[in-house]
Amino acid sequence: MRGPRHTRARSSGPTRGQTAPRTRDSPSDPARRIGSTVSENPTAPESPAEPRTLPTPRDRGEPMFPGGPVADPAGSHHERRIRSFRPRRGRVTVGQGEALRRLWPQWGLDIDGLRRIDLGELFRTGPEETSGSVAGAPRPDLPVVLEIGFGMGEATAQMAAADPGTGILAADVHTPGQGNLLALAERNGLTNVRVANGDAIILLREMLAPAALSGLRIYFPDPWPKKRHNKRRLIQPEFIELAATRLKPGALLHCATDWEPYAEQMLEVLTASPAFGNTQPDGGYSPRPDFRPLTKFEGQGLDKGHLVHDLIFRRNDT
């Protein structure tokens, strides 16, 4: 039976950074052979404090809000393939919609796959919310962690608040969650969060430079429990090979799931990768680290006897 459906302040301020000319990887690059894509976490019910919702457009490429995220930013110019997520736009509350309208030009990034992003520019200091621009200096030495799939963003916001010296680029396709995370970042004064909209495979493959990331977090991706759907799971050898090229030596790849068969697959795939080593001496699962918040939905699942497995692997130096 499927475990609890989790939300996170989690996975994709701020402004779009200056970018370098787009470059294609060589045919031998694992990015050219990838066959899966970004994970999407289930999300929590809307808050009763904001019952009013706004409709969101579903046509590919149509802006959902003026200056805000679009429905499928890379869909018109990138290949079709098996995806590990279902785009779920959902109903956006008035508060979430207002956050998207005001904050997306500063803190949002559409994953269109047309350019390389400069993370130092993306995480510039000193957002000027009234003008939609970002003042201050680039932060080229800021370590940046990519989080794939963050649900409603509560866990992501908690992790950002606890570690302001690390930038979190949180990627998801769930519009209400994007708006909720932006609102949380503003409310809590978090300048180290950026929200990316779209396919995280394209983000990794086309828009991030090699060894650009100091960490990768994938918490409770869709387990695709039916056997015929297992091919849609994000954690596959090809994805791990691609992720390794974008992680710095010593960077942590941290996965968590409450679906036992998927945990076993994650452990098998990661253990087989020559690019990563298990941080656990016995080669098994890791205890939940303090920096990963325990959400109320995860807690409810634990109360019901569901097992949650964390896997923490380190990018090898060679």
Side-chain angles (χ1 to χ4, degrees), residues 91-248:
R91 303 290 292 185
V92 177
T93 67
V94 172
Q96 293 162 359
E98 178 61 21
L100 287 167
R101 290 187 184 93
R102 291 190 301 102
L103 301 175
W104 188 262
Q106 306 161 38
W107 297 356
L109 169 71
D110 277 313
I111 302 172
D112 56 18
L114 296 178
R115 63 201 188 284
R116 279 275 172 87
I117 60 175
D118 182 329
L119 293 178
E121 288 287 342
L122 187 66
F123 284 86
R124 289 178 76 97
T125 58
E128 293 180 351
E129 297 174 1
T130 57
S131 66
S133 64
V134 169
R139 299 197 282 185
D141 297 327
L142 181 75
V144 176
V145 172
L146 173 64
E147 184 177 3
I148 299 179
F150 57 82
M152 295 304 289
E154 288 92 349
T156 303
Q158 291 180 54
M159 290 186 289
D163 186 11
T166 295
I168 299 179
L169 178 57
D172 210 316
V173 294
H174 187 54
T175 313
Q178 293 167 352
N180 200 58
L181 178 52
L182 288 171
L184 287 169
E186 181 184 46
R187 185 181 312 146
N188 295 291
L190 305 176
T191 63
N192 59 329
V193 175
R194 304 294 182 270
V195 180
N197 166 53
D199 187 338
I201 292 295
I202 293 176
L203 175 63
L204 283 165
R205 191 183 69 191
E206 308 289 350
M207 300 181 72
L208 293 176
L213 296 171
S214 296
L216 176 59
R217 297 167 180 169
I218 305 170
Y219 299 154
F220 305 98
D222 194 325
W224 295 101
K226 294 182 180 179
K227 186 174 181 179
R228 68 176 183 273
H229 292 156
N230 285 178
K231 62 187 177 182
R232 294 183 177 271
R233 290 174 176 171
L234 180 63
I235 306 302
Q236 307 279 358
E238 296 83 1
F239 171 79
I240 296 303
E241 190 177 356
L242 170 61
T245 67
R246 300 314 189 242
L247 289 169
K248 297 177 181 178

Side-chain angles (χ1 to χ4, degrees), residues 68 168 258 310:
I168 299 179
D258 60 356
D310 284 78

Side-chain angles (χ1 to χ4, degrees), residues 232-302:
R232 294 183 177 271
R233 290 174 176 171
L234 180 63
I235 306 302
Q236 307 279 358
E238 296 83 1
F239 171 79
I240 296 303
E241 190 177 356
L242 170 61
T245 67
R246 300 314 189 242
L247 289 169
K248 297 177 181 178
L252 293 180
L253 192 163
H254 182 191
C255 301
T257 182
D258 60 356
W259 187 251
E260 184 77 21
Y262 199 7
E264 294 171 354
Q265 176 178 326
M266 289 178 175
L267 184 60
E268 179 181 356
V269 169
L270 286 166
T271 301
S273 172
F276 292 94
N278 197 332
T279 59
Q280 290 301 296
D282 64 358
Y285 302 110
S286 299
R288 180 180 67 84
D290 292 339
F291 66 79
R292 183 175 74 77
L294 179 67
T295 68
K296 64 179 180 180
F297 291 94
E298 182 180 353
Q300 291 170 1
L302 292 172

